[in-house]
Amino acid sequence: MVDRTVLAHPVFTGVSTGHLAGLVDELARPWTASAEGRRFQARGGSRKRAPGAGARYRLVFVDRLLATLIHLRHDLPHSVLGVLFGVDRSTVTRAIGEIRRLLAARGFAVPDRPGLRLRTLEDAFAYAQAEGVELRLDATEVQVRRPAAGRGSRRAFVSGKKKQNTMKATVVADAKGRTLWTDALRPGRMHDVTAARAAGITSCFRHFGLVEVLLDNDYLGLGRDHPGQAITPPRKPRPGALPGRFEQWERDRHNHSSDRITVEHSLADHKRWKQLLRWTHRRDRLPDTYRAIAALVSDRGTTA
């Protein structure tokens, strides 16, 4: 058997030992409450024996958290994790499903605000307006398996940009590339602007009029509808414009790209977790997986 202290190493989990200890303290109580709720439903009422009686968990909470982090970081099969932890594959499958939901529901860390989490796009905009933060927004795609033949939604996942079956995530970051929010993933065929509008960005611009968001050329429609808030790259001068106008456009375009590049760094941090390189599991589990990983990445930037 592998020593648990070895499996808790950052090389396996993707998080520091201090971060892991914080996750244990944060998630132990919600996991216990969830487990008690399932037992209450199974037996149809309150427990009849004293606390502590009955069968023991073969995979305790800390091991469940370790197995989930290793699975997210390295995409090890459940059967391999079962061998490492000395349990059946089905036990690992149930444990990962439980912990992944808890990680996805945590929300995103706020820089220099311990204990405060952002869970919705409105939360991110409210934080940006209160703190005077300029946001960056972009979308990224994760390749998924092609839906089975004959399904009506089969074409919905074919990305026009990637020419693959993908699901798309919209991500908001700050000037230092710290993840502040990500939405529920949508089929890859959906345009970036449509995905942002479906997430509710139009109402956020309307209610938080002081927030500025840097965007790329895929969001020109938002720049047209919300001038001064949705800031897109400057438009290229028409042919025949003065040479000085082209030089100014190049400088403005470069400055905008340099300011917006931090959200690309945030997306790259997410893709360092192997499960987001290519998703080979059920598509309905990808949204929780992406939000869980993005939340873990956001924790590392709280003191940056």
Side-chain angles (χ1 to χ4, degrees):
M1 295 299 298
V2 178
D3 191 345
R4 296 304 195 269
T5 57
V6 175
L7 294 177
H9 193 278
V11 170
F12 291 100
T13 62
V15 300
S16 65
T17 54
H19 190 183
L20 178 61
L23 289 173
V24 171
D25 292 339
E26 180 183 351
L27 300 179
R29 189 183 299 273
W31 178 81
T32 302
S34 177
E36 289 295 336
R38 289 192 299 272
R39 295 193 194 102
F40 183 89
Q41 291 182 348
R43 60 179 173 252
S46 302
R47 62 184 307 142
K48 296 180 174 60
R49 290 188 290 181
R56 303 293 194 274
Y57 280 112
R58 293 189 62 190
L59 194 65
V60 297
F61 168 71
V62 176
D63 288 346
R64 290 168 183 256
L65 179 59
L66 286 176
T68 303
L69 292 175
I70 295 172
H71 181 60
L72 294 175
R73 182 67 173 180
H74 299 287
D75 202 17
L76 287 184
H78 295 180
S79 57
V80 175
L81 292 171
V83 172
L84 291 177
F85 288 92
V87 296
D88 189 72
R89 179 199 59 79
S90 60
T91 303
V92 174
T93 301
R94 288 193 299 271
I96 290 176
E98 297 169 3
I99 302 300
R100 181 172 51 209
R101 285 191 293 271
L102 293 177
L103 291 173
R106 293 173 63 233
F108 304 92
V110 178
D112 304 321
R113 297 290 189 276
L116 183 63
R117 314 288 295 191
L118 306 177
R119 290 180 171 81
T120 64
L121 184 59
E122 290 78 8
D123 290 344
F125 269 72
Y127 161 72
Q129 180 158 298
E131 300 292 334
V133 175
E134 188 179 53
L135 301 178
R136 281 89 172 134
L137 183 144
D138 202 0
T140 186
E141 298 183 56
V142 179
Q143 185 179 357
V144 298
R145 291 189 298 180
R146 188 181 187 186
R151 293 194 176 181
S153 61
R154 198 179 193 198
R155 294 185 57 193
F157 294 93
V158 179
S159 168
K161 181 186 299 183
K162 298 286 188 179
K163 309 302 180 186
Q164 297 171 337
N165 288 271
T166 65
M167 294 187 70
K168 179 174 297 183
T170 302
V171 177
V172 172
D174 64 5
K176 294 187 177 180
R178 295 173 290 205
T179 302
L180 299 179
W181 175 81
T182 182
D183 71 339
L185 273 73
R186 306 178 190 278
R189 193 178 185 88
M190 183 178 293
H191 195 277
D192 293 356
V193 171
T194 306
R197 286 174 173 155
I201 195 170
T202 301
S203 62
C204 289
F205 278 131
R206 184 168 60 251
H207 290 98
F208 302 98
L210 301 180
V211 177
E212 295 181 355
V213 183
L214 297 185
L215 306 161
D216 62 12
N217 282 322
D218 291 333
Y219 297 91
L220 293 178
L222 289 178
R224 180 193 63 243
D225 297 339
H226 307 280
Q229 288 186 273
I231 303 174
T232 54
R235 307 304 298 156
K236 186 176 182 179
R238 293 180 178 274
L242 296 175
R245 181 70 184 88
F246 280 96
E247 294 174 2
Q248 182 63 41
W249 169 73
E250 284 286 357
R251 288 193 295 268
D252 293 342
R253 185 188 61 81
H254 181 269
N255 292 336
H256 182 276
S257 178
S258 298
D259 291 339
R260 200 194 61 82
I261 196 64
T262 55
V263 70
E264 302 286 356
H265 298 162
S266 178
L267 299 178
D269 286 339
H270 301 167
K271 294 297 182 69
R272 290 193 179 98
W273 293 66
K274 190 174 180 180
Q275 284 213 330
L276 298 184
L277 292 180
R278 185 177 185 273
W279 183 253
T280 58
H281 311 283
R282 290 176 51 176
R283 289 188 304 277
D284 58 350
R285 295 173 181 169
L286 180 55
D288 277 351
T289 299
Y290 198 104
R291 291 179 68 87
I293 292 174
L296 291 170
V297 171
S298 75
D299 292 338
R300 297 204 306 261
T302 53
T303 57

